[in-house]
Amino acid sequence: MGRIDDIEPEIETEISASQKMLSAVSGSLLTSLLVTPLDVVRVRLQSQPAISNASSARPPSVSTHIPQPFTNLPPNLGVTACCKEVFWVNNNAQYCLATPTTSSPTINGLSHTTTTSPADCAIDETRRKNFTSTYDGLRKIARNEGLPSLWRGLSPTLVMAIPANVIYFTGYDSLRTSSHSPIKNYVSDAYAPLLAGSLARIAAATVISPIEMFRTRMQATSGTGVFRATLSGLQDMVAAQGYTSLWRGLTLTMWRDVPFSGIYWWGYEATRNTLTDMRDRQRGRALDPQRSSTRLRSQSRSKENHTITLVDSFTAGALSGAVAAVVTTPFDVGKTRQQVLKHADDIAASAGKSGAMTSRPEDRSMPRFLYHIFRTEGLPGLFRGWAARCLKVAPACAIMISSYEIGKKMARNVNERRDGRVET
């Protein structure tokens, strides 16, 4: 059986930073267009309150007596659409004055007056606003808010994804392959992806944190005029708390993205190495334990065609992305809930409704808040929206990494032809 080191050694052609950036940009555009609807549903699923079946059938705080007195309503159900007026009591409890809703539809030229009780209105609003699954969320958002609402936040997503992925992927490559990288020189190949992925994500997250905050708030909001309302809310926040408030969600983002990136790159390289080794064994080649396995695998992959590179990178990206997404879903749930609540606080403050607030679970540190969710809602609460997250993350990772790898391979071929090292 031959060895991989029997392959004629060659110096790999360097890829310029601009070529790596172009590869990352193309993957970012394609990924954002395909997975934004799933991201919108994920944010809605994770930010909606937990409701039992009984309460979703008939909210206990709404009776059928007409007219309805001041009635305490759950804050995020959207039931306030049934209210004639909404009040704040003690600056932290929402009450509404619910009255019968009268409509006069015209049928066959005749006007028919119908009256809907506050309870029936509340039931309909509760069912319309709450999602039971990823498919249910996609269907209800498209039906009630219009199909374009599924791509809400696409503009900030693109603005965020392009610089983030440029920093993230080129930074990871540099940390893994540069001769000046301390990770390459002092960390074993087994753990280098874990550390390099985490550090690259920290750098990218720090740069795009303000855009991430804007996107999350925009996706968590339903209705019309969302872009202006979200932008106005951020402007009010900056005026009141300064520009550093734009990075207020950075710690929450780190809790989710840093472990995800470490697990993802660790899994990606392990899966890609396994696929490469299996293919080499089928060709009668084996690794030489006396030489660097990373360099030998890199040389072997340089001989692969574009199809093999696409299939291997797509498969490894999807598998590692799905595993990392499931493992880090609790952090994603905690981040979304805390960030959405802070958004609600900013709206109340801008409306002059802020006051003495009681201690809330969302105000705790991330570990304590996740423990609270586990105690009150169990594991299902910690993994709420995991299906939407995996459906979004797995293809996103697969598309992004395969686009990036194919882009780099094409750029390397162009450079080799330019240098006269490849026969045309």
Side-chain angles (χ1 to χ4, degrees):
M1 180 180 294
R3 289 179 175 176
I4 294 178
D5 57 323
D6 292 334
I7 301 175
E8 183 180 352
E10 61 180 43
I11 301 175
E12 291 191 27
T13 303
E14 291 292 332
I15 304 175
S16 66
S18 60
Q19 289 174 324
K20 291 182 179 180
M21 291 179 184
L22 183 61
S23 300
V25 167
S26 61
S28 300
L29 292 173
L30 183 60
T31 302
S32 299
L33 288 172
L34 293 177
V35 303
T36 294
L38 295 169
D39 202 33
V40 171
V41 175
R42 174 192 64 81
V43 172
R44 298 283 189 90
L45 277 170
Q46 293 177 348
S47 58
Q48 74 180 11
I51 307 170
S52 64
N53 292 332
S55 63
S56 63
R58 179 172 291 275
S61 59
V62 180
S63 67
T64 58
H65 296 293
I66 303 173
Q68 186 72 13
F70 294 108
T71 305
N72 190 10
L73 296 174
N76 294 321
L77 294 183
V79 182
T80 51
C82 310
C83 301
K84 180 179 180 181
E85 295 183 51
V86 178
F87 300 88
W88 290 79
V89 178
N90 295 329
N91 292 320
N92 62 7
Q94 193 176 35
Y95 287 74
C96 84
L97 177 62
T99 58
T101 302
T102 302
S103 60
S104 300
T106 301
I107 303 176
N108 296 327
L110 300 177
S111 179
H112 297 267
T113 302
T114 59
T115 302
T116 303
S117 71
D120 292 335
C121 175
I123 292 171
D124 291 340
E125 284 293 317
T126 300
R127 290 173 177 168
R128 187 171 69 89
K129 291 287 186 178
N130 287 275
F131 310 142
T132 58
S133 65
T134 302
Y135 172 75
D136 185 55
L138 290 170
R139 180 175 59 86
K140 287 183 177 178
I141 292 175
R143 183 181 63 189
N144 298 323
E145 304 176 32
L147 193 62
S149 295
L150 289 173
W151 279 269
R152 177 170 292 160
L154 179 60
S155 297
T157 295
L158 291 174
V159 173
M160 177 184 69
I162 292 175
N165 283 327
V166 167
I167 297 171
Y168 182 42
F169 282 88
T170 58
Y172 177 81
D173 269 351
S174 298
L175 290 171
R176 285 287 284 131
T177 62
S178 174
S179 58
H180 302 291
S181 171
I183 294 178
K184 179 178 175 63
N185 296 327
Y186 300 107
V187 181
S188 67
D189 285 342
Y191 299 102
L194 186 68
L195 184 57
S198 300
L199 292 177
R201 176 55 67 186
I202 290 174
T206 302
V207 172
I208 54 90
S209 182
I211 309 175
E212 165 76 5
M213 176 184 291
F214 181 85
R215 185 194 64 156
T216 301
R217 293 184 173 194
M218 192 173 179
Q219 291 179 338
T221 306
S222 59
T224 58
V226 174
F227 186 90
R228 287 187 178 181
T230 306
L231 184 60
S232 177
L234 288 181
Q235 290 174 341
D236 293 340
M237 182 184 71
V238 170
Q241 305 174 25
Y243 284 100
T244 56
S245 61
L246 293 174
W247 280 265
R248 189 173 61 184
L250 180 59
T251 302
L252 300 178
T253 301
M254 295 295 187
W255 273 106
R256 180 195 64 182
D257 289 358
V258 172
F260 173 87
S261 297
I263 296 171
Y264 167 74
W265 283 110
W266 198 9
Y268 172 77
E269 294 216 13
T271 305
R272 187 85 190 275
N273 291 341
T274 300
L275 295 174
T276 300
D277 293 346
M278 289 173 57
R279 189 172 290 107
D280 285 331
R281 282 195 294 269
Q282 292 175 353
R283 295 170 178 169
R285 299 170 181 166
L287 287 174
D288 183 355
Q290 303 299 321
R291 296 185 60 186
S292 170
S293 58
T294 300
R295 182 170 183 81
L296 294 177
R297 290 187 179 110
S298 178
Q299 291 179 2
S300 179
R301 289 170 187 163
S302 67
K303 303 293 183 179
E304 297 172 352
N305 57 38
H306 288 75
T307 301
I308 293 177
T309 300
L310 175 64
V311 172
D312 283 6
S313 58
F314 191 94
T315 303
L319 290 176
S320 58
V323 171
V326 173
V327 172
T328 58
T329 293
F331 296 109
D332 191 44
V333 172
K335 170 188 176 296
T336 300
R337 290 195 187 182
Q338 290 185 336
Q339 214 163 31
V340 169
L341 182 70
K342 287 180 172 63
H343 178 37
D345 289 345
D346 292 338
I347 293 177
S350 64
K353 300 170 184 174
S354 59
M357 298 295 293
T358 58
S359 178
R360 300 169 299 185
E362 290 82 0
D363 295 326
R364 303 174 184 176
S365 63
M366 179 64 76
R368 294 181 60 197
F369 180 46
L370 294 182
Y371 180 65
H372 168 80
I373 295 176
F374 175 73
R375 289 188 59 188
T376 56
E377 303 176 34
L379 283 176
L382 285 175
F383 287 89
R384 178 179 295 177
W386 71 269
R389 177 165 164 78
C390 286
L391 286 173
K392 174 224 170 181
V393 170
C397 289
I399 294 169
M400 184 65 221
I401 191 63
S402 58
S403 300
Y404 184 65
E405 294 287 0
I406 288 294
K408 289 197 303 179
K409 190 173 186 65
M410 293 175 64
R412 183 175 286 110
N413 290 342
V414 169
N415 294 345
E416 288 176 348
R417 287 188 173 89
R418 181 195 60 197
D419 297 338
R421 295 173 55 191
V422 174
E423 295 183 3
T424 57

